[in-house]
Amino acid sequence: MKILLMGTPDFAVPTLDALLSSSHELVGVVTQPDAPSGRGKRLRPPALKQKALEASLSVFQPERPHRELWPDLKPELVVVIAYGHILKPNFLEWPDRGCINLHASLLPKYRGAAPINWAIMRGETETGVTSMRMVESLDAGEILLQRRCPISDGETSDSLHDKLAFLSASVCLDTIDGLETGSIVPTFQDSICESQSF
């Protein structure tokens, strides 16, 4: 499958590695523009950009992503992980198989920013990764696949971040396989909300 990957920080790197090791074709990587960092405020590239360039992939860094920027790209699927922009409906309709997002929580819990930190702050004993179809509303699309991850005593946001980053990579590949074979049955988040108390 031809895939366009969108992401920015090091959390997205294991997913890039997994896609590179798979039979799928990465047609490019979209990431945030280089940003000032450190005491000297020197421009530094995002972690995903660095890894993508090492793999000789095409890297795109628009201020705002628009499908019209890449008329020659023909992705069948867009995979988004920790990218940092909400995609417009016109973009979500672009690839034949749509856009999927990998989110570091067991949705519908902890939608939005900082789900790893919130899980630790709230004293959760487990969290996980969710893949979902993307819709205009934030983290509200149909759930495709979920994998759970225990939160150990003394777990830090850094250690949990690393666990979930690698878990995201396997969830990504399994989700793509499931979409190809038709074995995944999407689940509306509203039906999950009705069966859970928060």
Side-chain angles (χ1 to χ4, degrees):
M1 190 183 297
K2 293 183 178 181
I3 295 170
L4 179 67
L5 178 64
M6 306 180 76
T8 299
D10 56 354
F11 188 83
V13 169
T15 295
L16 173 58
D17 287 335
L19 288 169
L20 286 170
S21 299
S22 74
S23 61
H24 303 291
E25 177 187 350
L26 274 168
V27 298
V29 170
V30 180
T31 188
Q32 296 271 18
D34 296 0
S37 179
R39 298 181 73 180
K41 298 297 181 185
R42 295 177 57 189
L43 286 178
R44 297 190 183 276
L48 192 65
K49 175 186 177 179
Q50 296 181 65
K51 185 69 176 182
L53 291 176
E54 290 172 11
S56 300
L57 294 170
S58 297
V59 176
F60 310 99
Q61 295 180 274
E63 290 289 339
R64 290 285 185 270
H66 301 283
R67 58 187 282 186
E68 293 80 10
L69 295 171
W70 308 293
D72 297 328
L73 287 184
K74 307 293 183 188
E76 297 172 77
L77 179 74
V78 172
V79 174
V80 181
I81 176 169
Y83 175 49
H85 277 300
I86 294 176
L87 304 179
K88 296 188 178 298
N90 176 262
F91 193 103
L92 298 176
E93 296 164 0
W94 178 29
D96 291 342
R97 291 181 176 268
C99 302
I100 64 170
N101 178 244
L102 300 163
H103 185 75
S105 80
L106 296 173
L107 290 174
K109 277 192 172 182
Y110 306 122
R111 290 173 174 157
I116 296 172
N117 302 74
W118 280 115
I120 291 177
M121 289 170 58
R122 294 279 175 86
E124 300 285 356
T125 58
E126 72 170 3
T127 184
V129 171
T130 301
S131 63
M132 65 183 152
R133 288 205 177 278
M134 294 185 71
V135 295
E136 192 172 2
S137 299
L138 184 64
D139 299 332
E142 294 173 309
I143 289 173
L144 301 173
L145 190 64
Q146 288 188 321
R147 292 274 165 75
R148 297 178 179 274
C149 175
I151 299 177
S152 307
D153 290 341
E155 190 90 71
T156 67
S157 58
D158 287 342
S159 63
L160 188 56
H161 167 284
D162 293 347
K163 286 182 185 177
L164 295 177
F166 284 99
L167 184 58
S168 295
S170 64
V171 169
C172 177
L173 294 185
D174 289 346
T175 299
I176 296 170
D177 289 346
L179 291 174
E180 286 187 313
T181 61
S183 60
I184 285 181
V185 179
T187 304
F188 286 105
Q189 291 193 47
D190 286 348
S191 64
I192 298 175
C193 288
E194 290 170 1
S195 64
Q196 292 182 346
S197 58
F198 302 105

